[in-house]
Amino acid sequence: MTETATETVATAAATIDVVIDRVETAADQVVSLVLRRLDGEPFQPWQPGAHIDVHLGEGLVRQYSLCSPLEELDHLRIGVLRVPDSRGGSRAVHELEAGSPLTISEPRNNFPMLDSRRYLFVAGGIGITPLIPMIEAAEKAGKDWQLVYGGRSRGTMAFADRLLERYGPDRIQIIAEDEAGRMDLDAILGLPRAHMLVYACGPSGLLGAIEERCMGWPPGALHTERFVASALGAGAASEPFEVELARTGTTVTVPTDKSILDAVEEVGVRVLSSCRGGLCGTCETQIISGEPEHRDAVLSEEDREAGEVMLVCVSRAAAGCPRLVLDL
């Protein structure tokens, strides 16, 4: 890392040139891309829960979970839902064709799978993607596991048939709303179970409901990944505050309509970032002093309570905290 009196330069994230080997329809409005390295080399091993950045041109970068077999390193697979009101990422992916070149990041993991005797996986819609490698790992390790997978209809549920064929209905419970209504989360999660971890991914509404049901579970039992950072209500801190850049002594004011990332970039400080939406963890920054208000979808509750790091693309100073000192 190089530092001057006015600029901090973050080391660029490692990228890989790939080619789209296949584009497949995984479900209604869901495409699956199979990616291979342009140089023909295998990918490095990665762990369940990992994702990649996909560079889609004109500064558009989006994060997608890996859902390919862990040991088949000749390719990587992602599944992408087309979202009508998205910011352009899903539309761009759905326009890609086999043979097209892409640049991606090395896989990284903000949703790691911890060791446990038992697992309960809960997926909503495209939230199935990061859970597929976890299921594979749990099965290979001989763990006790179950998947509850909900969606609007069977036609919209990517990889459902493949999972049923491989693991069978004793392990996989498919709940299509148009056939059986919504998941009965009280029945699924109402009774805490010993030595079990819950891994859940899906829409924010579903994850919020799961969090409520798991409040009586042992601390650390629930692990979630969101595709959209949490929206905070009117009570959230939004007033201007100051950020002191500890490496240079520079102080910048962060107004109500800008992020910390925006404010420091305006004074010549470059921070490694990708999604700019609190989803990828790239801009994680150490807090030297001050109290943050976390608005990301990456940090665990333990990380938030420790107050040692924050994601500067979305998080701010907490109400009543006029200044943050950051390791920038």
Side-chain angles (χ1 to χ4, degrees):
M1 184 170 290
T2 303
E3 182 180 324
T4 69
T6 59
E7 181 178 43
T8 301
V9 181
T11 303
T15 58
I16 308 170
D17 292 324
V18 301
V19 64
I20 301 175
D21 185 69
R22 299 193 305 279
V23 178
E24 301 170 349
T25 300
D28 182 25
Q29 300 298 311
V30 179
V31 295
S32 172
L33 303 187
V34 177
L35 310 175
R36 298 186 186 274
R37 289 182 61 122
L38 203 57
D39 59 12
E41 294 296 315
F43 293 96
Q44 292 298 310
W46 51 276
Q47 298 300 312
H51 70 271
I52 56 172
D53 296 345
V54 179
H55 298 255
L56 296 166
E58 299 182 357
L60 190 64
V61 182
R62 293 293 182 265
Q63 292 70 42
Y64 299 108
S65 298
L66 296 176
C67 56
S68 45
L70 293 164
E71 296 183 352
E72 296 181 14
L73 297 176
D74 62 324
H75 72 279
L76 297 176
R77 181 187 291 273
I78 59 174
V80 181
L81 170 68
R82 180 160 190 158
V83 182
D85 58 351
S86 76
R87 295 175 296 158
S90 67
R91 181 175 63 252
V93 170
H94 277 248
E95 293 173 353
L96 294 171
E97 298 178 349
S100 299
L102 278 178
T103 298
I104 66 172
S105 70
E106 292 278 4
R108 63 178 184 275
N109 203 335
N110 296 324
F111 192 37
M113 182 181 181
L114 304 180
D115 186 46
S116 180
R117 297 184 195 176
R118 308 166 69 195
Y119 295 96
L120 174 60
F121 301 107
V122 184
I126 197 61
I128 188 61
T129 51
L131 303 183
I132 291 174
M134 294 186 180
I135 291 169
E136 177 190 342
E139 177 73 6
K140 184 177 180 180
K143 305 291 187 176
D144 181 8
W145 64 269
Q146 296 285 325
L147 168 68
V148 181
Y149 179 10
R152 297 192 312 276
S153 67
R154 288 182 181 266
T156 65
M157 299 172 71
F159 310 112
D161 291 341
R162 184 181 305 178
L163 288 166
L164 274 172
E165 181 179 354
R166 180 171 182 181
Y167 299 112
D170 291 341
R171 291 287 186 93
I172 308 289
Q173 183 180 2
I174 302 296
I175 302 176
E177 288 184 22
D178 62 348
E179 299 174 8
R182 294 188 176 183
M183 297 182 195
D184 186 349
L185 294 178
D186 290 327
I188 297 167
L189 298 165
L191 181 64
R193 276 156 276 183
H195 310 296
M196 175 177 279
L197 295 183
V198 179
Y199 279 83
C201 186
S204 293
L206 171 65
L207 295 186
I210 290 172
E211 289 169 347
E212 289 181 7
R213 269 70 171 189
C214 286
M215 290 182 65
W217 286 59
L222 175 63
H223 301 264
T224 63
E225 182 171 63
R226 283 177 163 80
F227 294 138
V228 178
S230 301
L232 297 182
S238 59
E239 63 270 13
F241 59 95
E242 292 183 340
V243 170
E244 179 182 335
L245 312 180
R247 301 188 191 183
T248 64
T250 303
T251 297
V252 299
T253 298
V254 182
T256 59
D257 61 343
K258 291 181 180 177
S259 67
I260 296 174
L261 181 60
D262 292 333
V264 300
E265 286 180 338
E266 288 182 357
V267 298
V269 176
R270 291 192 293 173
V271 179
L272 186 62
S273 63
S274 178
C275 73
R276 305 181 81 94
L279 301 175
C280 71
T282 307
C283 68
E284 181 179 302
T285 300
Q286 183 177 356
I287 302 167
I288 295 175
S289 68
E291 182 183 356
E293 181 182 80
H294 297 289
R295 302 187 178 190
D296 65 275
V298 173
L299 296 179
S300 66
E301 285 304 314
E302 292 80 5
D303 290 334
R304 291 170 182 241
E305 291 175 4
E308 296 177 352
V309 295
M310 68 186 300
L311 301 192
V312 294
C313 66
V314 292
S315 298
R316 300 179 66 82
C321 175
R323 175 183 287 238
L324 294 171
V325 182
L326 302 180
D327 184 22
L328 291 172

